[in-house]
Amino acid sequence: MRIRTARYIIKEGIVNTYRNILMSLASIMIVIATLVVFGFFLLIALNLELNINVFKELPELEVFCHEELDENQVSYVEEAVKNSDKVAKYEIVTKEQAFEKFKKRLGEGSMILDGYDESILPVSFIINLKDPSQSTEAVEEFKDISGVENVSFHQQTIDMISKVTYWMRFISGIMIMILLIISVFIISNTIKITVFARRREINIMKFIGATDWFIRWPFVVEGVIIGILGAIIALILSGIGYNALEGRFNQDLLSLNLMFFKMLKISDVLAQLMLYYLVIGFVVGAVGSFLSIRRYLRV
């Protein structure tokens, strides 16, 4: 393809986008909606998978004491854990150690801990069982110990997160397919209006020897422009929204003393989001244009 021809095709595609500005805006909006929904479910799935991997690396059980327990009361809990016939080995995590671990897990986000100290976190016991099949009985036993606030049984959490991840993918897949079909339909109608408005010009171009693809390419470019613009705006909106949510989520984790959950930072997923958004935007725009031209362009 000659440079002059490529320049003409791109120019016509841009002009066509502005020529039907209202329909183009409607197409861009539906692409944005589709990709924001897609990004929402994708980010949830990525974060769930991250936390599944985190929980798989954790011990079988963790016993959390009440925050206000003094050393004697903590010693009582430790003695009960030590004397249990279900415990193979255990490790005590002091308030100071828990606070340092929490700061390390938050990384750059540890600034949210400014003004707090180790007193906000409980002493806990990391426990490995002699027989993992006795996890349920062990949880009930440790919950009955005076001074114990909570017992974390990570396998149950892993199973729950895995099920949630599966259903999130299933539901998001259906919703995204519906929205993609709507996007293709609206873009197709946008291009159809352009084709109809220029039908005489197209017939003249065909009469003087223009090839089918020379006529079609500007409309394909128009669809791609719509898809890419929608993808860029959706990426910006998703990034801003996710970044705000991540900061709030970490603060809520701190207030609830949930040390083991965390969210991916926007910098960790931005490249992946950008790739998905641009590819989907490009494909949806191109397919919508092609289907419209194939059906309605008579040359």
Side-chain angles (χ1 to χ4, degrees):
M1 183 183 294
R2 296 178 181 178
I3 297 178
R4 182 182 300 176
T5 302
R7 188 179 300 167
Y8 166 80
I9 290 172
I10 295 172
K11 178 182 177 182
E12 285 297 304
I14 296 172
V15 170
N16 288 345
T17 305
Y18 282 103
R19 186 173 290 159
N20 300 295
I21 188 66
L22 292 179
M23 286 299 296
S24 295
L25 287 174
S27 300
I28 290 172
M29 291 299 294
I30 196 65
V31 171
I32 292 172
T34 302
L35 290 176
V36 167
V37 172
F38 168 78
F40 173 78
F41 285 106
L42 175 65
L43 289 168
I44 289 178
L46 290 174
N47 278 287
L48 288 174
E49 289 179 2
L50 170 70
N51 284 286
I52 287 175
N53 293 330
V54 170
F55 275 97
K56 284 180 178 178
E57 296 174 357
L58 294 176
E60 295 163 19
L61 294 177
E62 188 158 9
V63 175
F64 295 92
C65 300
H66 287 284
E67 298 172 13
E68 64 273 10
L69 295 189
D70 59 28
E71 291 185 7
N72 290 332
Q73 291 170 317
V74 171
S75 297
Y76 172 80
V77 176
E78 181 178 6
E79 194 66 23
V81 170
K82 182 179 179 180
N83 292 333
S84 173
D85 59 359
K86 297 180 177 64
V87 176
K89 62 178 181 177
Y90 73 92
E91 175 187 350
I92 186 170
V93 179
T94 65
K95 288 175 175 285
E96 293 80 6
Q97 291 171 330
F99 191 70
E100 290 302 316
K101 284 183 178 181
F102 197 19
K103 286 174 63 177
K104 188 175 181 180
R105 286 182 60 79
L106 290 177
E108 296 177 0
S110 62
M111 65 181 66
I112 66 173
L113 295 175
D114 292 346
Y116 295 94
D117 58 23
E118 64 274 3
S119 63
I120 63 172
L121 297 175
V123 174
S124 63
F125 296 89
I126 297 175
I127 298 173
N128 291 95
L129 301 176
K130 294 178 181 178
D131 183 2
S133 65
Q134 294 182 320
S135 297
T136 303
E137 293 84 351
V139 168
E140 296 302 319
E141 177 183 331
F142 296 139
K143 280 183 177 179
D144 291 335
I145 300 174
S146 177
V148 171
E149 180 179 18
N150 185 39
V151 179
S152 178
F153 180 25
H154 302 303
Q155 186 56 49
Q156 288 181 338
T157 306
I158 291 172
D159 294 340
M160 180 191 71
I161 295 177
S162 297
K163 290 179 181 178
V164 171
T165 302
Y166 169 79
W167 284 108
M168 286 294 294
R169 285 176 174 169
F170 179 76
I171 295 171
S172 63
I174 293 175
M175 291 185 64
I176 290 166
M177 285 301 299
I178 293 172
L179 288 170
L180 286 176
I181 292 171
I182 294 173
S183 299
V184 170
F185 175 76
I186 293 179
I187 292 174
S188 177
N189 280 318
T190 302
I191 307 302
K192 181 175 68 174
I193 291 173
T194 305
V195 173
F196 183 79
R198 299 183 60 194
R199 62 191 184 281
R200 292 183 180 179
E201 178 185 344
I202 291 170
N203 287 332
I204 293 172
M205 292 173 64
K206 181 64 177 178
F207 181 74
I208 63 175
T211 64
D212 289 352
W213 276 109
F214 181 83
I215 298 171
R216 288 185 175 100
W217 270 118
F219 301 107
V220 174
V221 170
E222 179 185 355
V224 170
I225 290 173
I226 290 171
I228 295 298
L229 284 175
I232 292 172
I233 297 172
L235 180 64
I236 294 171
L237 294 176
S238 299
I240 293 173
Y242 181 80
N243 195 48
L245 179 63
E246 188 228 339
R248 179 62 182 272
F249 187 80
N250 285 333
Q251 289 181 349
D252 289 342
L253 289 182
L254 177 61
S255 64
L256 295 172
N257 291 330
L258 296 175
M259 299 174 57
F260 303 112
F261 288 97
K262 67 176 183 178
M263 285 183 69
L264 289 162
K265 296 185 179 299
I266 186 61
S267 57
D268 297 329
V269 295
L270 186 60
Q272 189 172 359
L273 275 181
M274 185 182 298
L275 177 62
Y276 279 124
Y277 279 28
L278 292 178
V279 170
I280 293 175
F282 181 92
V283 171
V284 167
V287 170
S289 301
F290 182 79
L291 291 178
S292 175
I293 295 166
R294 183 181 179 185
R295 182 176 297 180
Y296 298 105
L297 184 58
R298 306 300 183 188
V299 294

